[in-house]
Amino acid sequence: MEIKPDDLTGYEVAALIGEHLQSMTLHSPPESIHALNLEGLKKPEITFWSAWEDNELLGCGALKELDGRHGEIKSMRTSAAHLRKGVARRILERIMEEARQRGYQRLSLETGSMDAFDPARRLYESLGFQYCEPFSDYIEDPNSVFMTKEL
Protein backbone atom coordinates (compact mmCIF):
# COMPACT_ATOMS: atom_id res chain seq x y z
CA MET A 1 0.00 0.00 0.00
CA GLU A 2 1.32 3.42 -0.97
CA ILE A 3 -0.01 6.42 0.94
CA LYS A 4 0.82 9.67 -0.80
CA PRO A 5 -0.17 13.34 -0.76
CA ASP A 6 -2.99 13.96 -3.20
CA ASP A 7 -4.09 17.13 -5.02
CA LEU A 8 -7.74 15.96 -5.20
CA THR A 9 -7.91 16.22 -8.98
CA GLY A 10 -8.28 12.54 -9.87
CA TYR A 11 -11.60 10.94 -10.74
CA GLU A 12 -11.17 8.09 -8.24
CA VAL A 13 -10.58 10.44 -5.32
CA ALA A 14 -13.50 12.67 -6.32
CA ALA A 15 -15.75 9.60 -6.45
CA LEU A 16 -14.59 8.42 -3.01
CA ILE A 17 -15.21 11.85 -1.48
CA GLY A 18 -18.64 11.84 -3.12
CA GLU A 19 -19.34 8.41 -1.60
CA HIS A 20 -18.18 9.74 1.78
CA LEU A 21 -20.52 12.73 1.61
CA GLN A 22 -23.43 10.57 0.48
CA SER A 23 -22.84 8.18 3.38
CA MET A 24 -22.87 11.10 5.80
CA THR A 25 -26.29 12.17 4.52
CA LEU A 26 -27.61 8.63 5.11
CA HIS A 27 -26.43 8.49 8.72
CA SER A 28 -26.48 12.08 9.99
CA PRO A 29 -28.94 14.96 9.91
CA PRO A 30 -27.77 17.85 7.69
CA GLU A 31 -26.91 20.14 10.61
CA SER A 32 -24.57 17.47 12.03
CA ILE A 33 -22.57 16.75 8.87
CA HIS A 34 -19.04 18.14 9.18
CA ALA A 35 -17.48 16.32 6.21
CA LEU A 36 -15.76 18.53 3.66
CA ASN A 37 -16.37 18.48 -0.08
CA LEU A 38 -13.53 18.60 -2.63
CA GLU A 39 -13.23 22.39 -2.52
CA GLY A 40 -13.23 22.38 1.28
CA LEU A 41 -10.40 19.85 1.27
CA LYS A 42 -8.29 22.05 -1.03
CA LYS A 43 -7.79 24.74 1.62
CA PRO A 44 -4.14 25.56 2.40
CA GLU A 45 -4.46 24.41 6.03
CA ILE A 46 -5.44 20.89 4.91
CA THR A 47 -3.13 18.11 3.73
CA PHE A 48 -4.89 15.23 1.99
CA TRP A 49 -3.54 11.71 1.41
CA SER A 50 -4.80 8.84 -0.71
CA ALA A 51 -3.87 5.18 -0.32
CA TRP A 52 -3.26 3.06 -3.41
CA GLU A 53 -2.41 -0.48 -4.34
CA ASP A 54 -1.24 -0.63 -7.93
CA ASN A 55 -3.80 1.66 -9.65
CA GLU A 56 -6.65 1.02 -7.20
CA LEU A 57 -7.72 3.61 -4.66
CA LEU A 58 -8.05 2.04 -1.20
CA GLY A 59 -8.92 5.05 0.94
CA CYS A 60 -8.11 8.57 2.02
CA GLY A 61 -7.66 10.88 4.98
CA ALA A 62 -6.72 14.46 5.74
CA LEU A 63 -5.05 16.59 8.39
CA LYS A 64 -6.27 20.11 9.09
CA GLU A 65 -4.03 22.49 10.99
CA LEU A 66 -6.06 24.22 13.69
CA ASP A 67 -2.99 26.03 15.05
CA GLY A 68 0.72 25.33 15.36
CA ARG A 69 0.16 22.76 18.11
CA HIS A 70 -3.22 21.19 17.26
CA GLY A 71 -4.43 19.28 14.21
CA GLU A 72 -7.76 17.77 13.22
CA ILE A 73 -8.32 14.51 11.37
CA LYS A 74 -10.76 14.92 8.47
CA SER A 75 -12.23 12.84 5.65
CA MET A 76 -11.18 9.38 6.77
CA ARG A 77 -12.74 6.99 4.27
CA THR A 78 -12.01 3.47 3.06
CA SER A 79 -13.28 2.31 -0.31
CA ALA A 80 -16.16 -0.14 0.14
CA ALA A 81 -14.17 -2.86 -1.64
CA HIS A 82 -11.37 -2.60 0.93
CA LEU A 83 -13.14 -2.42 4.29
CA ARG A 84 -11.68 -4.40 7.20
CA LYS A 85 -8.25 -4.71 5.57
CA GLY A 86 -6.37 -2.20 7.73
CA VAL A 87 -6.51 0.65 5.23
CA ALA A 88 -7.92 3.23 7.66
CA ARG A 89 -5.42 2.26 10.36
CA ARG A 90 -2.50 2.76 7.98
CA ILE A 91 -3.81 6.14 6.80
CA LEU A 92 -4.45 7.26 10.37
CA GLU A 93 -0.94 6.19 11.40
CA ARG A 94 0.46 8.23 8.47
CA ILE A 95 -1.53 11.29 9.58
CA MET A 96 -0.33 10.86 13.17
CA GLU A 97 3.27 10.58 11.95
CA GLU A 98 2.90 13.82 10.00
CA ALA A 99 1.33 15.58 12.99
CA ARG A 100 4.31 14.59 15.16
CA GLN A 101 6.76 15.79 12.47
CA ARG A 102 4.99 19.14 12.45
CA GLY A 103 5.35 19.40 16.21
CA TYR A 104 1.65 19.18 17.01
CA GLN A 105 0.93 18.36 20.62
CA ARG A 106 -2.64 17.19 20.03
CA LEU A 107 -4.78 15.59 17.35
CA SER A 108 -8.58 15.77 17.55
CA LEU A 109 -11.53 14.62 15.49
CA GLU A 110 -15.30 14.65 15.22
CA THR A 111 -17.25 11.59 14.20
CA GLY A 112 -20.83 10.41 14.39
CA SER A 113 -22.48 9.02 17.51
CA MET A 114 -24.72 6.58 15.60
CA ASP A 115 -24.09 2.82 15.30
CA ALA A 116 -22.83 3.24 11.72
CA PHE A 117 -19.77 5.02 13.16
CA ASP A 118 -18.88 2.27 15.68
CA PRO A 119 -16.02 0.88 13.54
CA ALA A 120 -14.46 4.34 13.24
CA ARG A 121 -14.72 4.99 16.97
CA ARG A 122 -13.17 1.59 17.75
CA LEU A 123 -10.27 2.36 15.41
CA TYR A 124 -9.62 5.72 17.07
CA GLU A 125 -9.87 4.18 20.55
CA SER A 126 -7.39 1.44 19.56
CA LEU A 127 -4.83 4.11 18.67
CA GLY A 128 -5.22 5.97 21.96
CA PHE A 129 -7.83 8.60 21.17
CA GLN A 130 -10.06 9.52 24.10
CA TYR A 131 -13.47 11.15 24.19
CA CYS A 132 -13.46 14.88 24.86
CA GLU A 133 -15.54 18.02 24.74
CA PRO A 134 -16.14 19.84 21.43
CA PHE A 135 -13.03 21.62 20.16
CA SER A 136 -12.33 24.43 17.68
CA ASP A 137 -15.64 25.71 16.26
CA TYR A 138 -17.68 22.60 17.09
CA ILE A 139 -20.59 22.74 19.52
CA GLU A 140 -22.22 20.06 21.63
CA ASP A 141 -24.35 17.85 19.37
CA PRO A 142 -26.04 14.52 20.23
CA ASN A 143 -25.15 13.27 16.74
CA SER A 144 -21.42 13.90 17.20
CA VAL A 145 -18.68 12.59 19.41
CA PHE A 146 -15.34 14.28 19.81
CA MET A 147 -12.04 12.54 20.43
CA THR A 148 -8.50 13.69 21.05
CA LYS A 149 -5.01 12.32 21.52
CA GLU A 150 -1.97 13.90 23.12
CA LEU A 151 1.08 13.42 20.93
Side-chain angles (χ1 to χ4, degrees):
M1 178 185 318
E2 180 185 6
I3 300 171
K4 57 187 180 181
D6 196 297
D7 64 6
L8 296 137
T9 59
Y11 168 78
E12 298 94 336
V13 169
L16 186 59
I17 295 300
E19 179 184 313
H20 182 57
L21 293 170
Q22 182 178 8
S23 176
M24 295 301 106
T25 62
L26 292 175
H27 299 292
S28 301
E31 67 275 8
S32 297
I33 296 174
H34 303 289
L36 299 172
N37 62 19
L38 283 174
E39 289 309 308
L41 287 166
K42 291 179 182 179
K43 305 268 185 198
E45 66 271 17
I46 296 176
T47 305
F48 184 88
W49 289 271
S50 56
W52 299 83
E53 193 166 86
D54 298 321
N55 291 323
E56 189 170 0
L57 179 62
L58 307 179
C60 63
L63 175 60
K64 178 180 180 181
E65 182 169 301
L66 298 176
D67 62 44
R69 300 177 352 172
H70 190 185
E72 179 182 2
I73 296 166
K74 299 292 291 181
S75 299
M76 289 289 298
R77 184 69 180 193
T78 301
S79 171
H82 297 284
L83 293 173
R84 317 275 185 278
K85 295 180 181 178
V87 173
R89 177 175 293 275
R90 295 270 307 274
I91 293 169
L92 185 54
E93 288 170 346
R94 175 64 187 95
I95 291 170
M96 292 168 58
E97 175 187 318
E98 178 69 22
R100 286 185 186 99
Q101 289 175 355
R102 292 181 184 186
Y104 292 172
Q105 295 177 357
R106 176 181 298 278
L107 265 181
S108 300
L109 62 96
E110 178 276 337
T111 191
S113 63
M114 292 67 88
D115 291 346
F117 297 94
D118 279 347
R121 291 192 304 270
R122 284 194 305 271
L123 170 65
Y124 298 130
E125 288 170 357
S126 76
L127 288 169
F129 284 82
Q130 299 179 343
Y131 294 92
C132 65
E133 297 297 315
F135 61 94
S136 188
D137 295 332
Y138 292 104
I139 59 171
E140 199 66 47
D141 179 347
N143 299 299
S144 292
V145 294
F146 305 94
M147 301 179 82
T148 195
K149 177 180 175 67
E150 294 280 339
L151 299 174

